[in-house]
Amino acid sequence: MDQNAPDPPSRRPTLSQVAKAAGVSEITASRALRGGSAVAKTTRQKVERAAQALNYVPNRLAGTLAGGASRQVAVILPSLSNIVFADVLKGLETRLEDDGYHPILGISHYDATREEHLLHDLLSWRPAGLVLAPTSGNAATRALLQAAELPVVEVMDTDPDAADMAVGFSHRAAGRAMAHYLIGRGYRRMAYIGHDIATDFRALARLDGFKDGLTDAGHILSDTLILDGPSSVPLGREGLARMLDRTTPRPEAVFFSNDDMAVGGVFHCQTAGLSLPHDIALAGFNGLSIGQALPTPLTTIASNRERIGFVAADHILRRLKGERPSRITQIDFRLLPGSTA
Amino acid sequence: MDQNAPDPPSRRPTLSQVAKAAGVSEITASRALRGGSAVAKTTRQKVERAAQALNYVPNRLAGTLAGGASRQVAVILPSLSNIVFADVLKGLETRLEDDGYHPILGISHYDATREEHLLHDLLSWRPAGLVLAPTSGNAATRALLQAAELPVVEVMDTDPDAADMAVGFSHRAAGRAMAHYLIGRGYRRMAYIGHDIATDFRALARLDGFKDGLTDAGHILSDTLILDGPSSVPLGREGLARMLDRTTPRPEAVFFSNDDMAVGGVFHCQTAGLSLPHDIALAGFNGLSIGQALPTPLTTIASNRERIGFVAADHILRRLKGERPSRITQIDFRLLPGSTA
DNA sequence: AACCTTATTGACAGCGCTGTCATTACTTGC
DNA sequence: GCAAGTAATGACAGCGCTGTCAATAAGGTT
């Protein structure tokens, strides 16, 4: 509590104090508490009792410094405003915790400089591994990664030249899949509405894939609207309103950068009295539950973010045990036909 | 390790190597890199150049062990599925990063045992501070906190007997405020629909406050429906459907445990052809953007989660500088009258 | 009984860094 | 030009723990 008061009286108990209390050597106490090694059952109990009595909490800084492997994993994500990355983090944390590991977190805010800085900072804690959803193909970052000599997983995409491992799916393929689906449904005049794509290069990859898909079938994108700022429901709503306002005839189908945006579009249609998908078709990306709970379930592509996080953590952990998980792991997306397109 | 080997293939460079390269003593290198202390400008430059050349990344485990204060802050949250805690985490991370601190994360899953375990685990990293959104008034946890002797902030509520500091607002007061508002709007027969409340005791507090508010005005809650599982849009939708199915006459107004649930309710009304708020009034809690973007903006109470996280981190940091931020900090909620009630 | 295992415990030397106090170099005042 | 002060640097010890190897005790073999 009191920061100023000189507090020599109550320093946290150390292993040596536990050892003394249990009447054994420090190293024996260490082994007893860590389990595994050869320690007599009675000795172990004595030590455990002493630790309990003193309210001993081991100091892993010291342990890691002396022994080797940390049980912390650095995690760098571009954002937490979007539930998508919270999902990834949840999957990560769940798997890590199973093995007594913990994430140290950094948020890059889609800023490459910040990402690099974070990387340097987090590496200084000597984590056992690193998981990141890269913000860009930053060269400096890549160099640091290569030099870091620790298991690294890049999540959310399947970049074939990932520094080490990658867990995710191809956003380009996802965009293409949506194009094929919409074409198959008979839509022709198609538009795209997205949030600030300069920063979110995975959204950009989806757009590129979408265009590719249209091209495959001999079509082209009839209209594109990119709005400033992070994706959100209100932004999507505003986007569709503006697009319909400025373009005649209106597009037959609109692909949004993600579900948040698309749900905004659905709301606009409700307000404007447009019936889905008759008057206009809308599609999103991510498969958020909000979109599926709409009176008209959103047509979208489900990504399994939590699983991506989980598998990423698992890869780190397995690597630490000496195994060699595959370099690129595909976590499939799935097109969810709803009733909006 | 082998001390004699001239150049162990690829261990990370240490401060001593940097010092050697710069032709100064270890401690001088340390001071040069940390800045502040008295080091000649030329010396500092030499050291910085050497560090750069060697690609030196300091080892904070060693630094913290030797020197004192860690730059990690333990964070324990009950969940990440709900955007609410992701928001808090975002605020925390933002403020911490400003000062070069980083969160180590643990998720309790609304489980008191797990929370206690996490606390023990995270404390073993000797964090400089601790932020948690308590899952319960767990006694063992509280004891650990008291003994921990580090700045602790409990977030999301303003528990007057917080172990150390608290940043948030009274959920009870929020519930009451909603009751008063709805009564003021003329609604009488009111119901509540919530998610698994056994675990989420802040939602329970809101319900209690809501009941209090009704009692204040001489009314009582006409119906209550608690559903299993975490809150979600589909769950709220299902909840309202079930309630309307089983109860006649239907309630005039329904207060949901949060916005996710309430938005589900709105969707159900859209599907069932009920007009809001004429046929039935709905209200939520949190002030999520999704609710505000609905064709009928949701009546709700806005909480400022990100700010709570930010202020919590700020309190920790200030405490570490020797200041004494106030024990209980209120981050006000605000009733947002929408068009659903 | 001498010998060999195996189980259990401990001594020792650091891990990489920083706090403390001491030392040296360089100014400045009179 | 010399005492006294300031700036810059370094030697040393130790943070709390674990890996390595050695030592001892206990049990089994021929």
Side-chain angles (χ1 to χ4, degrees), chain B residues 28 43 53 126 151 252 299 328:
Chain B
T28 297
T43 309
R126 296 293 186 268
E252 294 167 17
T299 295
I328 310 287

Side-chain angles (χ1 to χ4, degrees), chain A residues 11 15 26 30 34 56 66:
Chain A
R11 289 289 294 286
L15 183 61
E26 210 170 319
S30 170
R34 276 181 298 163
Y56 173 68

